[in-house]
Amino acid sequence: MGAKTEQDLQRKRAVRAWVVYDWANSAYFTTMVAAVLPIFFVSVPGAHLGDDAVSYWGFTQSAAMFILVLLSPVLGAVADVSGSKKKLLVLFMGIGVLSTALFALVGEGQIWFAVALTLLGVVGSSGANNFYDALLPSVAAPHEQDRISARGYAYGYLGGGLLLAVNLLMIQKPEWFGVDSLGGTRLAFLSVALWWLVFSVPLLRHVPEPRPANSVSAGESVRLAFVRLGETMRRVRHYPELLKYLIGFWLFSDGIGTIIRMATVYGESIGIGQTHLIAALLITQFVGFPCSLLFGKLAGRFGAKTSLQISLAIYVLITVLGFFMTSALHFYLLAVMVGFVQGGSQALARSLYIRLIPVGREAEFFGFMSVWNKFAGIVGPAVFGFVNLYATSRFGILALVFFFVSGMVLLGL
């Protein structure tokens, strides 16, 4: 009885430790991808570029996602055979943490230093997440995995939002922390690196390292991963409804990702202050969590496809209103609207995909979706960047209407 009780305690400790890593890692995505870093990128290292700095940010985001498309099958294969998921998680996390901390040293005009650190940060954080996800089966039985995964998602929302609130205070009241105004932003970068590192410790201490799934070499596993990816792509052609959905998903998901990555640099380019931009995104974080649950109820009443189309219609409205945005109040209102649909649209997109994939091939098609999902982040930021170069950022945000309307049309066919 005592041994069983000890095992239960270890399992619960492992679950808590796994969940807390989402709390740790989400700080990178809220502060460094969505809120603080985009504004710093265009106003400090990109200061000499003028309005073109917005395009550099968009191109950098597209490049990072392209690198992840190439790496994802490799990382997935290594996760399956290495028997060292935690060591590899530490490696990629270390890359992400170090690149985040080094942003505190980036000075005015050092655009290529900033580009390199951004690429390393995105690759490090997403690479670490690959191995983090692969550790879930070692802490939870199959019937528990959905619940524990959702719990990690919720902790991520709360952790990322909490540190973003502290970061906003650092930027708005830098004298409280003994630094100047720019020093507050640099301190925010250091806080993200420290937060990520410290709250990763429970996972490293308490989550067990699973045994390798098979005995093939890492090199052979990588080769097989690309072979399986090619086979799945060929197999998709035999499921027309699934193929149509994947193209629609690529379009509207790219639009959603572009709004997340480009919202603050767009707001900064039209003269909205940094404090307002970050505060508005903080509101998005906390509105997003309950509204994700609300969309789950809407799906139960009207169906997942109809509810998803409603969320995409709201995104169309957001992009059109964004074109005419002129004040901080407008940005706050749009942030609330984004928070209303962001989590719900992503959750419904996943549940629709589950219904379309062939029975018995769930793992194969979810592996394919992991790569496809990253591919969906390449085009939107690049389109925004090119339109900004040859017109203005207002037309860049308006161009996203195409992504959402096209996605809605394909869903309705």
Side-chain angles (χ1 to χ4, degrees), residues 28-66 99-100 103 106 110-123 125 189 256-269 281 377-386 388-389 393 397:
Y28 178 85
F29 293 99
T30 52
T31 297
M32 305 301 290
V33 174
V36 180
L37 178 57
I39 303 169
F40 175 84
F41 186 99
V42 301
S43 60
V44 179
H48 63 295
L49 298 172
D51 292 340
D52 289 350
V54 174
S55 297
Y56 273 70
W57 175 255
F59 296 148
T60 301
Q61 294 300 310
S62 293
M65 298 310 295
F66 180 72
S99 62
T100 299
F103 260 107
V106 175
Q110 295 180 316
I111 187 64
W112 294 113
F113 187 22
V115 166
L117 292 180
T118 302
L119 292 174
L120 287 171
V122 174
V123 170
S125 59
F189 297 151
I256 293 171
T258 303
I259 287 179
I260 293 170
R261 290 174 170 81
M262 303 304 294
T264 51
V265 293
Y266 172 62
E268 197 272 343
S269 73
L281 289 183
I378 295 175
V379 179
V383 167
F384 190 103
F386 278 116
N388 180 71
L389 278 179
S393 57
I397 201 74

Side-chain angles (χ1 to χ4, degrees), residues 234-240:
R234 289 189 292 272
R235 194 172 285 122
V236 164
R237 293 180 299 180
H238 301 294
Y239 300 94

Side-chain angles (χ1 to χ4, degrees), residues 77-156:
V78 172
D80 285 339
V81 304
S82 66
S84 55
K85 294 183 177 67
K86 289 169 66 173
K87 291 180 181 178
L88 290 165
L89 186 149
V90 169
L91 172 63
F92 279 87
M93 181 189 72
I95 293 171
V97 168
L98 181 60
S99 62
T100 299
L102 286 175
F103 260 107
L105 303 179
V106 175
E108 188 169 331
Q110 295 180 316
I111 187 64
W112 294 113
F113 187 22
V115 166
L117 292 180
T118 302
L119 292 174
L120 287 171
V122 174
V123 170
S125 59
S126 297
N129 272 353
N130 273 57
F131 298 108
Y132 166 65
D133 293 341
L135 288 169
L136 177 58
S138 68
V139 301
H143 69 279
E144 299 176 309
Q145 289 175 12
D146 287 343
R147 176 178 59 82
I148 293 172
S149 177
R151 186 173 158 195
Y153 182 75
Y155 268 65

Side-chain angles (χ1 to χ4, degrees), residues 66-412:
F66 180 72
I67 292 170
L68 288 171
V69 167
L70 299 178
L71 282 179
S72 289
V74 177
L75 296 180
V78 172
D80 285 339
V81 304
S82 66
S84 55
K85 294 183 177 67
K86 289 169 66 173
K87 291 180 181 178
L88 290 165
L89 186 149
V90 169
L91 172 63
F92 279 87
M93 181 189 72
I95 293 171
V97 168
L98 181 60
S99 62
T100 299
L102 286 175
F103 260 107
L105 303 179
V106 175
E108 188 169 331
Q110 295 180 316
I111 187 64
W112 294 113
F113 187 22
V115 166
L117 292 180
T118 302
L119 292 174
L120 287 171
V122 174
V123 170
S125 59
S126 297
N129 272 353
N130 273 57
F131 298 108
Y132 166 65
D133 293 341
L135 288 169
L136 177 58
S138 68
V139 301
H143 69 279
E144 299 176 309
Q145 289 175 12
D146 287 343
R147 176 178 59 82
I148 293 172
S149 177
R151 186 173 158 195
Y153 182 75
Y155 268 65
Y157 255 117
L158 295 175
L162 177 61
L163 185 60
L164 183 58
V166 175
N167 293 158
L168 177 60
L169 193 62
M170 291 174 174
I171 293 166
Q172 196 171 18
K173 297 290 183 181
E175 66 275 8
W176 291 6
F177 300 89
V179 295
D180 58 18
S181 57
L182 187 56
T185 301
R186 298 183 190 281
L187 188 61
F189 297 151
L190 292 173
S191 73
V192 172
L194 184 62
W195 180 282
W196 189 356
L197 185 63
V198 169
F199 287 109
S200 298
V201 171
L203 180 144
L204 303 180
R205 290 187 60 190
H206 300 299
V207 172
E209 177 69 63
R211 293 180 178 179
N214 52 60
S215 59
V216 302
S217 67
E220 177 64 10
S221 183
V222 169
R223 188 190 69 81
L224 290 174
F226 279 101
V227 169
R228 286 195 298 266
L229 183 61
E231 290 174 348
T232 306
M233 291 179 69
R234 289 189 292 272
R235 194 172 285 122
V236 164
R237 293 180 299 180
H238 301 294
Y239 300 94
E241 287 298 314
L242 177 58
L243 178 60
K244 183 177 65 177
Y245 176 78
L246 285 169
I247 297 171
F249 173 86
W250 169 59
L251 289 163
F252 68 72
S253 183
D254 212 339
I256 293 171
T258 303
I259 287 179
I260 293 170
R261 290 174 170 81
M262 303 304 294
T264 51
V265 293
Y266 172 62
E268 197 272 343
S269 73
I270 63 174
I272 299 175
Q274 183 183 38
T275 299
H276 291 301
L277 294 171
I278 298 173
L281 289 183
L282 183 60
I283 291 172
T284 299
Q285 281 289 114
F286 291 110
V287 169
F289 183 70
C291 287
S292 297
L293 302 178
L294 174 62
F295 262 89
K297 293 183 178 180
L298 285 176
R301 182 171 181 180
F302 299 108
K305 181 183 290 189
T306 299
S307 300
L308 179 56
Q309 287 185 311
I310 291 171
S311 72
L312 296 179
I314 294 173
Y315 268 118
V316 171
L317 180 61
I318 289 169
T319 54
V320 172
L321 292 176
F323 176 81
F324 295 103
M325 180 173 64
T326 58
S327 68
L329 177 60
H330 295 160
F331 195 84
Y332 278 110
L333 293 174
L334 291 178
V336 172
M337 292 177 68
V338 170
F340 180 69
V341 293
Q342 183 172 291
S345 61
Q346 292 169 328
L348 293 177
R350 180 172 60 182
S351 63
L352 271 175
Y353 181 70
I354 292 172
R355 297 173 191 176
L356 292 171
I357 59 179
V359 176
R361 294 186 178 274
E362 291 85 358
E364 173 189 349
F365 277 83
F366 266 104
F368 175 76
M369 190 59 163
S370 176
V371 178
W372 189 257
N373 193 29
K374 292 177 176 64
F375 181 68
I378 295 175
V379 179
V383 167
F384 190 103
F386 278 116
V387 173
N388 180 71
L389 278 179
Y390 296 105
T392 68
S393 57
R394 287 190 184 276
F395 286 102
I397 201 74
L398 193 62
L400 299 181
V401 170
F402 167 79
F403 291 89
F404 294 116
V405 171
S406 300
M408 290 174 65
V409 169
L410 285 167
L411 279 176

